[in-house]
């Protein structure tokens, strides 16, 4: 299906920055563990602090993004992310890289990413007809998983050959290329009719949350997505400590453990639309929403050596395949239920709340890892994930009309 040249440029911009991000996968934990000799709690705090501060700042960004043309916002956020990420190789070369700088860069890049996501989501809804959104989201999802498959192994190889910050530099330049891709888009843009001169009121900061709360299906999707994401994200720093520190996996094996399973995500994203066409979106969402909550418990059986590596690969492959099928359906349902002139606020609130929860759970799981062990904390996350499908919306709620349009006064 042809979605137009402008969608192609948006897709290209997303692709290049996503590949850059996944080439740099694990770079911050790797620098913290191998260069700065940080423990499990410090690595968790590094990830959590960036998410938490970015999320708090991002609550103010929804109304700001909503009132502005989206392409300049995306370009500006790409340039900010470039500058932040590029500062790390410079500091490393000068011998002044610190844990504090990693925290600052994590906050700045995380905040810019939330603003970029809100703007690009609102612009996608403007750019692509409603009945083509599932196909568009499927292409983004497939690209994300393809990058996840290629990026970490390539990044691990680059680190082995050229040192621990080369992937961060690659990530920085990917944002420059993304900005150039967005710049190539031609035609109209979308912004709230209130205009940039309108003064932002305190009530505007919660506008996205109020809209989510008034649509039951949207609220169920919101709670399910942030809890699943939070419980999975909480284990990532611990996996880095476990695999890189305790089990002494080489960087290329660590990258392979998370890169190879992403091929399942690519396949799942390609299957998502055909499965919906045959079985219906609700049935597919429920089945794969349940399956994605079961497989993470397999990480409780990770050990050292080849057997442990294969365990990570198999578990992550099963999980990611389910996510590849589920995510385009959920993303499409979310966009279809939100009016175009409120999309940036809802997406910003969604992203900020998710990151805030992720940060909280990362700190809690960091403490759990200190009190027990990284493997025990990972197992607890797997057990709790089993309950998350209970939050998925039922067929009646999804079939109902989207929630009422909120009056912002």
């Amino acid at each position: 299906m042809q979605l137009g040249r402008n969608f192609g440029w948006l897709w290209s911009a997303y692709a290049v920055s996503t590949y850059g991000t996944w080439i740099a996968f694990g770079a911050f934990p790797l620098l913290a563990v191998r260069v700065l000799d940080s423990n499990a709690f410090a690595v968790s705090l590094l990830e959590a602090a960036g998410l938490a501060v970015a999320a708090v700042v991002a609550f103010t960004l929804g109304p700001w993004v909503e009132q502005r043309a989206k392409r300049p916002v995306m370009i500006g956020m790409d340039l900010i992310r470039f500058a932040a990420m590029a500062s790390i190789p410079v500091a490393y070369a000068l011998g002044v890289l610190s844990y504090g700088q990693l925290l600052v860069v994590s906050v700045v890049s995380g905040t810019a990413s939330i603003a970029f996501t809100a703007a690009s989501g609102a612009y996608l809804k403007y750019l692509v007809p409603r009945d083509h959104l599932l196909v568009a989201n499927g292409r983004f999802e497939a690209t994300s998983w393809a990058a996840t498959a290629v990026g970490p192994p390539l990044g691990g190889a680059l680190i082995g050959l050229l040192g621990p910050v080369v992937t961060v530099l690659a990530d920085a330049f990917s944002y420059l290329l993304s900005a150039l891709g967005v710049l190539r888009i031609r035609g109209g843009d979308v912004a709230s009719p209130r205009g940039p001169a309108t003064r932002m009121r305190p009530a505007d900061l919660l506008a996205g949350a109020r809209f989510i709360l008034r649509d039951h299906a949207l609220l169920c999707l919101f709670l399910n997505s942030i809890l699943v994401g939070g419980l999975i994200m909480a284990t990532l720093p611990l996996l880095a400590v476990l695999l890189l520190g305790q089990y002494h996996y080489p960087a290329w094996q660590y990258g392979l453990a998370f890169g190879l399973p992403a091929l399942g995500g690519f396949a799942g994203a390609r299957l998502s639309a055909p499965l919906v066409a045959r079985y219906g979106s609700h049935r597919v969402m429920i089945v794969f929403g349940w399956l994605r909550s079961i497989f993470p418990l397999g990480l409780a059986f990770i050990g050292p050596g080849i057997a442990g590596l294969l365990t990570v690969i198999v578990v992550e492959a099963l999980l990611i395949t389910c996510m590849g099928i589920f995510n385009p359906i959920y993303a499409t349902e979310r966009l279809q239920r939100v009016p175009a002139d409120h999309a940036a606020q809802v997406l910003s609130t969604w992203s900020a709340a998710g990151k805030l929860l992720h940060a909280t759970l990362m700190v809690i799981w960091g403490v759990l890892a200190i009190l027990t062990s990284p493997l025990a904390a990972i197992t607890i996350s797997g057990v709790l994930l089993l309950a998350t499908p209970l939050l998925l919306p039922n067929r009646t709620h999804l079939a109902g009309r989207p929630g009422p349009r909120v009056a912002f006064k």
Side-chain angles (χ1 to χ4, degrees), residues 308-400:
L309 178 64
L310 292 176
T311 300
V312 177
I313 290 174
V314 171
V315 170
E316 291 290 330
L318 293 170
L319 168 64
I320 289 172
T321 300
C322 294
M323 293 176 68
I325 294 170
F326 179 92
N327 287 351
I329 303 171
Y330 130 75
T332 300
E333 182 68 29
R334 179 177 62 180
L335 277 180
Q336 288 178 340
R337 303 187 77 88
V338 179
D341 56 346
H342 296 327
Q345 289 189 2
V346 169
L347 293 175
S348 181
T349 297
W350 200 296
S351 182
K355 288 182 183 297
L356 195 57
L357 180 65
H358 297 177
T360 303
L361 293 181
M362 279 182 180
V363 172
I364 293 172
W365 257 251
V367 173
L368 280 175
I370 294 295
L371 296 177
T372 57
S373 70
L375 186 59
I378 291 168
T379 303
I380 293 170
S381 174
V383 171
L384 293 177
L385 275 165
L386 296 174
T388 56
L390 298 174
L391 292 168
L392 289 170
N394 59 40
R395 190 185 303 274
T396 302
H397 293 135
L398 286 175

Side-chain angles (χ1 to χ4, degrees), residues 48-313:
L51 288 173
V53 178
V56 171
V57 174
F59 276 112
T60 67
L61 293 178
W64 182 83
V65 172
E66 200 75 77
Q67 297 178 31
R68 283 157 178 80
K70 303 305 180 284
R71 281 179 291 165
V73 171
M74 289 187 279
I75 292 170
M77 295 306 108
D78 274 337
L79 295 178
I80 289 172
R81 290 188 287 183
F82 162 74
M85 298 301 292
S87 72
I88 291 177
V90 172
Y92 179 81
L94 296 175
V96 295
L97 181 66
S98 67
Y99 183 83
Q101 183 179 356
L102 292 181
L103 280 174
V104 171
V105 172
S106 180
V107 169
V108 172
S109 62
T111 303
S113 293
I114 291 175
F116 183 94
T117 299
S120 62
Y123 193 63
L124 178 65
K125 185 175 176 68
Y126 163 80
L127 199 63
V128 177
R130 178 184 177 92
D131 56 347
H132 293 169
L133 279 174
L134 180 58
V135 174
N137 280 313
R139 292 186 184 180
F140 280 116
E141 187 74 11
T143 300
S144 177
W145 290 120
T148 309
V150 173
L154 178 59
L158 288 174
I159 288 171
L161 289 173
L162 302 175
V165 296
V166 64
T167 59
V168 179
L169 188 61
D171 190 22
F173 277 102
S174 76
Y175 294 124
L176 277 184
L177 294 175
S178 174
L180 290 174
V182 176
L183 193 62
R184 293 285 295 174
I185 298 174
R186 296 292 182 264
D189 209 320
V190 58
S192 168
R194 286 173 290 181
T198 301
R199 186 175 181 179
M200 187 175 67
R201 297 158 301 202
D204 290 337
L205 303 182
L206 298 177
R210 291 202 304 272
F211 194 95
I212 292 170
L213 290 171
R214 295 190 184 191
D215 184 323
H216 186 86
L218 204 60
L219 177 60
C220 290
L221 287 172
F222 170 74
L223 293 174
N224 175 266
S225 69
I226 67 170
L227 283 173
V228 170
L231 288 169
I232 291 175
M233 290 290 292
T235 66
L236 291 184
L238 306 184
L239 283 169
V241 172
L242 186 67
L243 301 181
L244 293 170
Q246 187 172 330
Y247 294 158
H248 303 291
Y249 281 36
W252 71 268
Q253 286 188 357
Y254 179 70
L256 185 66
F258 292 96
L260 188 60
L263 293 174
F266 177 81
R270 301 294 291 179
L271 288 170
S272 186
L275 286 172
V276 167
R278 182 167 183 176
Y279 298 107
S281 61
H282 179 258
R283 181 179 297 178
V284 177
M285 182 187 294
I286 293 298
V287 169
F288 288 95
W290 274 99
L291 288 175
R292 70 174 181 161
S293 72
I294 294 171
F295 295 126
L297 193 55
L299 295 176
F301 303 99
I302 295 175
I306 296 299
L309 178 64
L310 292 176
T311 300
V312 177
I313 290 174

